[in-house]
Amino acid sequence: SKKKRTFAHMKYNKTEYQALGVTAEVTSFAPEGAVGEWHAMLHVRPADDTFQQQYERLRQGERLIKEELAGKGAQTVFKRYFLSDATNQQPLIKESADPCTTSYIQQSPLDGSKVAVWIYFVSGAEVTTGEDDYNSTLVRSGSYEHLWTMGMVVPEGSSYAQTRTLLEDYEALLAARSMTIRDNCIRTWFFVRDVDTSYRGMVVARRENFEQEGLTRDSHYIASTGIGGSPADTRAIIQLGSYAVKGLKPEQIKYLYAQSHLNRTDEYGVTFERGTKLQYGDSSHLIISGTASIDNRGEVLHAGNVMQQTCRMWENVEALLKEGGAGYDDVMQIVVYLRDISDYGLVKRLFAERFPHMPTVFPLAPVCRPTWLIEMECMAVTPEGNSTYGNF
């Protein structure tokens, strides 16, 4: 069964593959004659079966979505698997992995299943993968090169040492493509094992690295999510994912602050941007970092009340989107991180009421401050561009 909802420039489809027990939520932004984009969230209904059985059903759902989008010229750019036991499950998935950069992270889907997946597709661009040790995916469109790199880990050291090594490895990867973290990196994800104790080391190492690379409050930082999540390698404390773009002019990039609602992150010792807007000739893309219930003094709001924290989080994200000339109708996908599994039923209902059409996944993942019960991130695209620049 299928349900469709269309805004002026965005289409949302929800397909129930009843025989598979798989639900596919897909958003498309595909203007005529331009690069098209699709975000898909696939969920599998638990049936007291094994991971292998759930994954095979999910995998069949992936194939059906890919076949449908292949008819529109879409190719896979990246995948992120949300797993209940990454150490045991990642090897089983990799046996049938698609040729794209892929993240496997232990953040259990809160619907009771063992696995969910987020997939990003594009059409009308040249897509290549596997040209480095991290199986990065490179998307060439017009004068731009979009580089997605997922699942970077190192197997030894503290959270501080691993973060330093990961950033240095990533900077070497960028340098091989004539890019730098300061000029080209747009977005990062830091998944942190035991975030309540290991997050601080990551924060310090990132700040030191950024200072060395010329990233400061007066220049800019990078949109990011730092969240609880266990890599499959039991020796790894930190897993890094990233997105970089080559070919942008500095004036195409706008950093989003929403200072009526949020403070600058460096005021409480961390170094990331709340959000980033990329303006192209034919569209604008907004990347919203992990956002929680916080005020413009950096204080956590509504401690202990997940409903009130959810509403404040929505308000903060809406303020960031508005500053970038967008709104929730422009959002293509949402990831909602929850600290307490018992909050899932309420939060799921709240999101279903406000965003019934939106591709969304709810993983179990503690936020970086223990008093934050919920955090969300999203990506948005609008058809408003600036003809001064090349198209996406």
Side-chain angles (χ1 to χ4, degrees):
S1 63
K2 289 192 175 186
K3 297 179 182 178
K4 297 185 178 182
R5 182 169 178 174
T6 303
F7 294 109
H9 59 285
M10 198 81 71
K11 294 181 180 179
Y12 300 92
N13 293 333
K14 184 175 182 178
T15 303
E16 300 277 357
Y17 298 111
Q18 299 288 355
L20 296 175
V22 170
T23 301
E25 303 163 341
V26 183
T27 311
S28 64
F29 177 81
E32 190 72 28
V35 174
E37 299 178 81
W38 291 262
H39 287 270
M41 295 289 190
L42 276 73
H43 313 271
V44 59
R45 185 171 61 248
D48 295 328
D49 48 358
T50 66
F51 169 78
Q52 194 72 58
Q53 291 169 320
Q54 289 188 24
Y55 170 65
E56 183 52 39
R57 290 192 282 126
L58 189 75
R59 181 73 171 155
Q60 290 182 52
E62 288 182 38
R63 292 191 190 104
L64 292 171
I65 290 295
K66 285 182 65 178
E67 288 171 4
E68 180 180 336
L69 296 183
K72 302 174 183 179
Q75 301 178 75
T76 308
V77 176
F78 76 74
K79 299 169 72 172
R80 173 169 300 151
Y81 285 100
F82 304 87
L83 301 171
S84 60
D85 180 1
T87 301
N88 287 305
Q89 294 163 356
Q90 179 186 17
L92 300 176
I93 294 177
K94 291 192 76 172
E95 291 176 1
S96 59
D98 287 327
C100 69
T101 195
T102 304
S103 170
Y104 309 89
I105 193 70
Q106 185 165 313
Q107 292 179 328
S108 298
L110 285 168
D111 59 6
S113 67
K114 296 176 180 293
V115 57
V117 66
W118 168 23
I119 315 175
Y120 174 55
F121 304 88
V122 300
S123 66
E126 178 188 348
V127 179
T128 57
T129 190
E131 295 182 1
D132 58 46
D133 292 340
Y134 304 101
N135 206 36
S136 298
T137 300
L138 185 67
V139 179
R140 294 184 177 91
S141 60
S143 58
Y144 306 108
E145 294 184 0
H146 305 265
L147 184 68
W148 297 88
T149 306
M150 298 293 172
M152 295 181 67
V153 296
V154 293
E156 59 269 324
S158 63
S159 62
Y160 171 87
Q162 289 191 15
T163 302
R164 284 196 66 91
T165 301
L166 284 169
L167 287 170
E168 289 165 0
D169 288 350
Y170 180 54
E171 287 152 8
L173 181 152
L174 290 175
R177 298 184 181 277
S178 301
M179 291 192 258
T180 67
I181 197 166
R182 172 175 173 162
D183 294 337
N184 303 103
C185 186
I186 301 298
R187 215 273 190 234
T188 59
W189 290 267
F190 289 90
F191 300 110
V192 185
R193 186 188 301 276
D194 191 8
V195 69
D196 290 338
T197 58
S198 300
Y199 183 72
R200 183 63 182 168
M202 183 279 286
V203 165
V204 173
R206 177 176 60 181
R207 183 172 63 242
E208 291 177 358
N209 176 277
F210 282 4
E211 289 174 354
Q212 293 171 5
E213 298 300 318
L215 288 158
T216 69
R217 176 189 175 97
D218 295 330
S219 63
H220 67 278
Y221 295 118
I222 296 166
S224 189
T225 298
I227 199 78
S230 296
D233 187 331
T234 57
R235 300 166 298 174
I237 302 171
I238 308 293
Q239 180 171 304
L240 174 64
S242 60
Y243 170 51
V245 185
K246 184 178 180 181
L248 291 168
K249 299 175 182 178
E251 56 268 28
Q252 289 178 253
I253 306 173
K254 177 182 179 180
Y255 300 100
L256 307 174
Y257 303 106
Q259 289 186 280
S260 59
H261 288 69
L262 300 152
N263 70 327
R264 295 289 295 270
T265 63
D266 62 293
E267 292 175 6
Y268 56 91
V270 292
T271 46
F272 68 93
E273 296 293 354
R274 299 288 187 188
T276 303
K277 175 182 179 178
L278 308 178
Q279 191 169 50
Y280 297 95
D282 56 353
S283 61
S284 292
H285 289 62
L286 288 81
I287 296 172
I288 304 301
S289 299
T291 303
S293 177
I294 191 171
D295 65 15
N296 61 3
R297 299 183 304 278
E299 299 295 329
V300 177
L301 294 178
H302 311 302
N305 189 319
V306 74
M307 178 181 286
Q308 289 183 322
Q309 286 200 15
T310 299
C311 293
R312 176 63 189 208
M313 176 186 70
W314 285 343
E315 187 179 332
N316 288 346
V317 171
E318 189 169 32
L320 289 165
L321 292 167
K322 184 177 180 181
E323 189 172 296
Y328 277 118
D329 286 351
D330 303 298
V331 169
M332 295 195 74
Q333 55 76 233
I334 297 175
V335 181
V336 183
Y337 302 103
L338 282 171
R339 183 180 188 88
D340 186 346
I341 191 171
S342 66
D343 288 330
Y344 171 67
L346 171 60
V347 172
K348 170 70 171 176
R349 186 168 70 251
L350 292 172
F351 270 82
E353 290 170 356
R354 182 159 187 182
F355 309 108
H357 56 283
M358 189 69 65
T360 306
V361 64
F362 298 85
L364 180 64
V367 187
C368 60
R369 288 198 209 179
T371 46
W372 271 328
L373 304 176
I374 185 169
E375 178 172 300
M376 68 175 280
E377 63 176 66
C378 62
M379 296 182 184
V381 60
T382 76
E384 284 74 44
N386 185 327
S387 59
T388 304
Y389 311 124
N391 292 344
F392 177 72

